[in-house]
Amino acid sequence: MKRTSAVLAGISGAFLAAGFAISWRDGHRFVIRRYRVFSPKIRKKTTLVFLTDLHSQTYGKRNDPEGPNGPILRAVRRIRPDAVVIGGDMIVAKDASFDRPGWMEVPLDLAGVLAEEFPVYLAEGNHEAQLACARHEGRYLRQYLEYGRAMDHLGVHRLHNQYTDLSIKEEGKAPPWRAPKNSCGIHEKQSAEAGAEERADTGIRLYGLDLNCEAYRKFWPYRLCREQVEEKIGKPDPDRFCVVLAHNPKFFPVYAEWGADLVLSGHIHGGIVRLGPNGPGLLSPDWHFFPEYTGGEYRAGKEDGTEASMVLSCGTGTHSLHLRFMNPGEIAVVELDGCD
């Protein structure tokens, strides 16, 4: 009996040690996953790198000459995208609310270097939204504004309930950007490089949909309708391929009903624990077990009879509960083409 107990204890200890090893490894690495989406609306093949949910995590060594996230920078350079799109939650709201030193240094360092080499577009996640949330009565508004101004200064193009039409250089990569517009189609900024180079219209319109903090509340479900989406970003252009940066994937059917052709989402962190490399995720940030959307590519019907796609990234960072199991960080590469 004692021998049996010792054997069971040894086996249990081995499994526990293996679990800790897998979790540590997955929490300190990322993988590159590729997605391909086709539509006749797309006029020029376009490659996007989609980053989300960094939460100030670093992957580089202390002596990395390219900074705390040198591995991410080198991975993006090897991909040579036409643009980098960021889906929010680059910071940790708790660190910002306590004004902890360096709370935004890591995402600014990464975004700043990327913006020197590629057009970078940014939408907000729930951690940014929390800082501007009305229930906090403006206590963290200063941090929210500082973060936004810092991104602007670096040349990152924030799409706060705005859109921009993507264009790429006829030859080579890293095209100049087109000024974002609000839901009324009014230019918010002007690029000094406008008209400086020949560009090809991709037929792609990129929207940044920033939901308020109530859309992320725990336990009590929030209901989002198409009219609310229209209030924020207007109606979609049926002649263009509409890509929506929408941090919360829970409302994918609503985004599809609005008219999105492709949704880029994060927030779920892959479900934290995945039951197998391609298995379902265990837990969502709003404490729901086995959420419907955890990671990968999904489809939903649209009113015109076509289908919308959603690429849901597992993100690159963690916060609070620093746990990933069979669920490494993810850099998503989204290839958009007009020919199948």
Side-chain angles (χ1 to χ4, degrees):
M1 182 63 115
K2 289 184 178 179
R3 179 176 295 179
T4 302
S5 298
V7 170
L8 291 175
I11 293 173
S12 299
F15 273 108
L16 188 61
F20 276 118
I22 293 171
S23 178
W24 186 91
R25 181 171 180 262
D26 284 350
H28 293 81
R29 72 184 181 107
F30 61 84
V31 297
I32 296 174
R33 294 194 176 102
R34 292 183 176 271
Y35 305 87
R36 300 191 73 187
V37 181
F38 301 94
S39 171
K41 296 179 184 179
I42 299 171
R43 301 167 193 168
K44 192 79 172 178
K45 184 177 180 180
T46 305
T47 300
L48 305 177
V49 160
F50 175 46
L51 301 174
T52 187
D53 295 275
L54 180 67
H55 292 296
S56 293
Q57 180 160 329
T58 60
Y59 285 92
K61 297 179 180 179
R62 290 184 179 180
N63 60 349
D64 193 317
E66 295 190 285
N69 274 309
I72 293 179
L73 290 171
R74 290 187 286 273
V76 174
R77 288 182 184 130
R78 286 193 295 270
I79 296 163
R80 298 182 68 240
D82 295 298
V84 176
V85 293
I86 299 175
D89 274 13
M90 299 295 279
I91 61 170
V92 177
K94 182 171 61 176
D95 293 344
S97 63
F98 285 108
D99 219 0
R100 290 173 177 160
W103 64 267
M104 60 178 172
E105 284 183 6
V106 171
L108 292 180
D109 178 82
L110 177 62
V113 177
L114 288 173
E116 291 176 355
E117 303 179 32
F118 309 97
V120 178
Y121 302 93
L122 172 72
E124 294 180 359
N126 55 298
H127 279 250
E128 291 89 359
Q130 284 180 41
L131 299 179
C133 189
R135 69 168 180 264
H136 295 316
E137 299 177 341
R139 287 194 297 273
Y140 313 125
L141 189 59
R142 175 181 58 81
Q143 290 93 318
Y144 175 82
L145 295 174
E146 283 180 0
Y147 178 68
R149 285 194 292 264
M151 283 292 184
D152 290 340
H153 180 73
L154 292 172
V156 174
H157 313 303
R158 289 188 296 149
L159 296 176
H160 178 62
N161 295 322
Q162 298 168 307
Y163 69 79
T164 187
D165 293 332
L166 296 183
S167 62
I168 62 176
K169 289 164 61 176
E170 288 286 6
E171 297 181 1
K173 297 284 183 177
W177 65 289
R178 282 191 174 182
K181 302 177 184 179
N182 62 21
S183 60
C184 298
I186 299 173
H187 283 276
E188 295 293 321
K189 303 175 183 177
Q190 293 294 330
S191 168
E193 298 176 323
E197 297 181 352
E198 289 294 325
R199 299 190 299 270
D201 182 13
T202 64
I204 299 167
R205 177 164 289 181
L206 178 65
Y207 294 81
L209 175 62
D210 293 342
L211 301 176
N212 56 36
C213 59
E214 282 73 24
Y216 299 96
R217 65 192 181 198
K218 295 178 173 62
F219 308 116
W220 292 276
Y222 179 85
R223 297 186 181 278
L224 183 73
C225 64
R226 181 176 64 181
E227 288 72 22
Q228 290 172 289
V229 177
E230 285 186 0
E231 285 178 6
K232 288 183 174 293
I233 58 175
K235 294 184 178 182
D237 185 337
D239 297 323
R240 302 190 73 87
F241 186 80
C242 296
V243 180
V244 180
L245 279 171
H247 188 69
N248 195 339
K250 181 190 296 186
F251 307 115
F252 176 42
V254 179
Y255 308 146
E257 181 186 2
W258 171 81
D261 296 300
L262 172 65
V263 178
L264 301 178
S265 284
H267 184 55
I268 305 296
H269 296 195
I272 302 177
V273 173
R274 295 188 76 83
L275 306 182
N278 299 310
L282 179 65
L283 184 66
S284 71
D286 54 4
W287 297 98
H288 290 160
F289 285 96
F290 299 104
E292 183 176 2
Y293 307 114
T294 55
E297 188 171 4
Y298 301 87
R299 298 186 184 278
K302 297 170 59 176
E303 286 189 343
D304 62 4
T306 61
E307 282 189 323
S309 299
M310 177 172 70
V311 170
L312 173 52
S313 171
C314 295
T316 50
T318 61
H319 71 92
S320 301
L321 180 62
H322 297 285
L323 174 64
R324 283 183 178 269
F325 185 81
M326 301 192 78
N327 179 30
E330 174 181 351
I331 293 177
V333 181
V334 185
E335 297 178 353
L336 307 175
D337 202 347
C339 301
D340 190 343

